[in-house]
Amino acid sequence: MPGSEPAAHCYCGHQFGQLARQLGDGAACYLGEVKVATELNLCLSLWGSTFSPNRQADGRKVLRSSIREFLCSGVMHFLGVPTTRAASVVTSDTRVVRDVYYSGNPHNERCSAVVRIAPTFLRFGSFEIFKQADEHTGHQGPSYARDEIRGQMMDYVIEMFYPDIQRDHPDRVERNVAFFREVARRTARVVAQWQCVGFCHGVLNTDNMSILGLTLDYCPIGFMDRFDPDFICNASDNSGRYSYQAQPAICWWNLVKLAEALAPELPPDRAEAVLSEYLGLYNGFYLENMRRNLGLLKRDEPEDEMLITELLQTMHNTGADFTNTFGGLSRNSCPTEGESEEEEELVRKATALLLEQCASLEELKAANKPAMDPRELAMLLSMAQSNLALFQMISDRTTISRQLEKGREGSKGEEMCHCSTVLCSLGHRKRLSRELEGQSDVQAVQEERVRVMDSTNPRVVLRNYIAQNAIEAAEKGDFSKVGFGLYFCRRLSLCHITQQDEGEEEEEDDDDDHQQIPVPYDSRPPAWAREICVT
């Protein structure tokens, strides 16, 4: 690129809770900034382009992960979630060896490079290069004790990306506290948005946390199909550290590590005060988003939080599809006095639509089957009672509890699931009736609610099987599904999409590995999708 001076971005990071040595040493290279019509310039970065000496690795990115980032960053943008973007994917005939499932069965994959765009790719880990020696690993940042560079970095970030804070706080300490508070606020906002669209990042290390509160580094990402708070999209995350329900707390933990890296520019006592605000910020953003998901627009009720909790618990118990359940709730009408037979029929249809999103008993048993062999589980339970010290060396209570809970979840009957869904639908309708209190134009309230719900709850997200179809076709040289998948996901606000609307692109080859039957993108995923493993 004319005028470009490529450079690697040096950073560190806590990876799965442990401080890693220097990262960002070549696999990702800055190309430069491009002036655009917005307030901020756009930074261009090439990912997967060159050797990574620190890791003694080839630094190359493969086609499957490149396509996932290209598609998912686009989908997140269309959903209104702050994110970096993948501008393009370039692939080649060069091959590298990868052990996809860490199973000892490596194979050759095509190399690719992704051009990323964002105002900046600075991350929490960018400031951890100044970290003192870690008490667990003994590792320290490559720029430890270089306090003058840390000060320069903070000046640059605040002046460039937080100009209002720079202008409004002439005192340096107050400026830095205001900067950290805004980073915490943006972090709480983006993770609340993730939770409300069923998105799981997969690898929320500190080096994957944007200093601007953007969704950064799409690795083994995933959107939930069946709602499961313990959903893990990264098959190599054996402990569930980065599970769906853990994301808000992990982001807080990462903010703690950022605060440590910013000291003494950020006084620890002031950082602690800001960190204490995080949970309240997150809950506020989460409730605001969830109320829009449920069409609760006119008033905030104390029982809304309980309504949301009960809805999610019912979805978990019934194995309900996360995306389609929220989409179907817009068909729930506000109850009015003297409902007509037509309105009652609409209620029956709305309830039936919700029931269609629930898993069958067989699906629930399959989904909740403990991953651990029953004999191994029995042995560990016995060991926990007879030799606690040995048990704690090879396992933990959280893992065992999760396996036992899975077995109990799979034993629930279809009748109970049916009753829970109906009662939850009735509870939602009862809450909707409160929206009409004091409103003169009931029809206008109804129409606004449906409009907001349909524009907030996506009809289509990047489900694993959609990405997998695109990847498998691209690996055979057909990139039409990649472009079509991105185009299709832009049509998130459509209320109904038929197989005919999808056109010929969704026809499967006879020699497809999965022998898939074409499935509309807005339906529940096919059975074979449960076997997809992303690392």
Side-chain angles (χ1 to χ4, degrees):
M1 190 169 74
S4 173
E5 297 181 5
H9 172 193
C10 175
Y11 55 86
C12 291
H14 279 80
Q15 300 191 322
F16 284 85
Q18 302 298 321
L19 182 66
R21 296 181 187 274
Q22 180 181 328
L23 305 168
D25 58 353
C29 280
Y30 280 124
L31 300 180
E33 289 186 355
V34 177
K35 291 185 177 181
V36 292
T38 59
E39 293 182 4
L40 296 176
N41 295 337
L42 287 179
C43 179
L44 299 183
S45 176
L46 194 60
W47 190 30
S49 58
T50 187
F51 183 62
S52 180
N54 250 352
R55 297 188 177 188
Q56 297 183 335
D58 55 56
R60 305 304 296 272
K61 190 169 171 64
V62 295
L63 186 57
R64 57 185 163 84
S65 56
S66 301
I67 288 175
R68 284 186 181 276
E69 172 161 358
F70 181 74
L71 290 175
C72 196
S73 64
V75 169
M76 295 293 271
H77 172 73
F78 302 143
L79 288 172
V81 179
T83 181
T84 61
R85 294 292 303 275
S88 66
V89 175
V90 179
T91 190
S92 72
D93 292 329
T94 303
R95 305 272 174 167
V96 289
V97 176
R98 294 288 186 267
D99 187 350
V100 181
Y101 305 117
Y102 306 106
S103 61
N105 298 301
H107 66 278
N108 290 320
E109 295 192 66
R110 292 176 67 178
C111 290
S112 300
V114 175
V115 176
R116 291 171 164 177
I117 54 175
T120 183
F121 289 95
L122 289 169
R123 53 199 73 206
F124 290 11
S126 302
F127 290 94
E128 290 191 291
I129 62 174
F130 310 106
K131 190 90 167 65
Q132 63 184 7
D134 182 74
E135 61 178 335
H136 301 292
T137 64
H139 298 164
Q140 68 180 33
S143 297
Y144 171 62
R146 299 292 302 275
D147 292 348
E148 75 283 0
I149 302 179
R150 174 172 43 215
Q152 291 170 8
M153 279 184 63
M154 291 189 70
D155 290 344
Y156 168 76
V157 170
I158 296 171
E159 289 171 10
M160 286 293 296
F161 306 109
Y162 296 91
D164 291 347
I165 291 176
Q166 178 70 21
R167 183 192 64 234
D168 297 341
H169 297 85
D171 181 83
R172 186 175 184 84
V173 170
E174 295 303 322
R175 183 203 67 168
N176 294 345
V177 171
F179 159 66
F180 183 62
R181 177 174 282 111
E182 179 61 15
V183 173
R185 189 191 72 82
R186 295 190 186 191
T187 300
R189 179 188 64 183
V190 75
V191 70
Q193 289 177 282
W194 294 347
Q195 301 301 98
C196 291
V197 296
F199 173 79
C200 197
H201 184 283
V203 190
L204 279 175
N205 300 327
T206 56
D207 55 289
N208 292 336
M209 297 286 295
S210 165
I211 205 70
L212 298 186
L214 307 175
T215 309
L216 175 70
D217 280 9
Y218 290 83
C219 300
I221 49 82
F223 284 90
M224 277 193 296
D225 293 323
R226 178 183 57 82
F227 176 70
D228 179 3
D230 291 322
F231 172 66
I232 301 169
C233 63
N234 179 5
S236 55
D237 181 8
N238 297 319
S239 67
R241 176 181 175 85
Y242 298 137
S243 68
Y244 167 81
Q245 70 174 352
Q247 290 183 139
I250 284 293
C251 287
W252 177 86
W253 190 90
N254 289 341
L255 283 164
V256 171
K257 296 305 167 186
L258 174 62
E260 292 174 0
L262 294 178
E265 288 278 351
L266 176 68
D269 60 325
R270 302 294 300 277
E272 186 176 347
V274 172
L275 289 166
S276 68
E277 301 168 4
Y278 171 84
L279 182 60
L281 286 169
Y282 167 76
N283 285 337
F285 286 125
Y286 180 77
L287 283 172
E288 178 185 355
N289 290 334
M290 273 296 185
R291 284 189 174 110
R292 289 179 62 84
N293 283 4
L294 296 173
L296 310 179
L297 312 176
K298 298 300 180 183
R299 54 200 302 159
D300 296 347
E301 297 285 353
E303 66 267 23
D304 289 350
E305 193 167 354
M306 181 57 68
L307 175 66
I308 294 166
T309 300
E310 290 175 351
L311 170 62
L312 293 177
Q313 185 61 57
T314 299
M315 291 170 62
H316 185 211
N317 293 343
T318 61
D321 186 274
F322 184 89
T323 302
N324 291 350
T325 296
F326 279 103
L329 283 171
S330 67
R331 306 297 170 260
N332 240 353
S333 61
C334 296
T336 57
E337 292 183 10
E339 286 190 340
S340 64
E341 290 185 6
E342 182 180 353
E343 289 175 316
E344 291 177 357
E345 179 61 24
L346 288 175
V347 172
R348 283 193 289 270
K349 287 183 177 180
T351 304
L353 181 62
L354 293 177
L355 288 170
E356 286 177 9
Q357 306 311 320
C358 299
S360 67
L361 182 57
E362 290 71 23
E363 289 172 323
L364 280 174
K365 286 182 177 179
N368 289 292
K369 182 180 179 181
M372 191 177 292
D373 185 282
R375 291 168 295 182
E376 180 184 0
L377 183 59
M379 180 197 71
L380 288 172
L381 287 171
S382 175
M383 186 184 298
Q385 298 176 28
S386 60
N387 192 334
L388 184 59
L390 180 59
F391 168 77
Q392 291 174 336
M393 290 175 61
I394 62 177
S395 189
D396 60 86
R397 293 183 183 277
T398 302
T399 300
I400 297 300
S401 297
R402 188 181 297 122
Q403 295 299 315
L404 292 172
E405 184 63 27
K406 276 183 171 290
R408 286 193 288 268
E409 291 293 336
S411 65
K412 294 179 179 177
E414 289 183 354
E415 295 81 4
M416 186 170 68
C417 292
H418 182 282
C419 292
S420 298
T421 303
V422 172
L423 289 173
C424 200
S425 177
L426 292 173
H428 181 231
R429 290 196 75 226
K430 181 179 178 181
R431 173 61 181 85
L432 288 177
S433 68
R434 302 287 299 276
E435 296 287 292
L436 302 179
E437 293 179 5
Q439 302 296 322
S440 57
D441 192 340
V442 173
Q443 184 64 27
V445 173
Q446 295 268 36
E447 290 175 356
E448 181 190 8
R449 177 184 65 81
V450 173
R451 177 184 59 78
V452 170
M453 291 182 73
D454 281 346
S455 63
T456 302
N457 296 310
R459 290 287 178 252
V460 180
V461 293
L462 187 69
R463 296 180 186 269
N464 260 341
Y465 80 93
I466 297 176
Q468 190 65 25
N469 281 340
I471 290 167
E472 292 183 0
E475 288 177 337
K476 297 175 184 177
D478 176 11
F479 289 85
S480 63
K481 280 184 168 55
V482 178
F484 181 73
L486 189 62
Y487 160 75
F488 195 84
C489 288
R490 291 185 67 174
R491 302 167 63 193
L492 296 169
S493 61
L494 290 185
C495 293
H496 182 68
I497 304 165
T498 65
Q499 185 68 30
Q500 287 72 28
D501 292 328
E502 297 178 11
E504 297 180 358
E505 290 90 339
E506 280 303 286
E507 294 180 3
E508 302 294 335
D509 296 331
D510 292 337
D511 61 346
D512 189 281
D513 294 338
H514 303 295
Q515 295 296 313
Q516 301 144 331
I517 299 173
V519 176
Y521 280 178
D522 65 338
S523 71
R524 290 175 61 200
W528 61 264
R530 292 197 296 268
E531 305 303 320
I532 297 174
C533 181
V534 183
T535 63

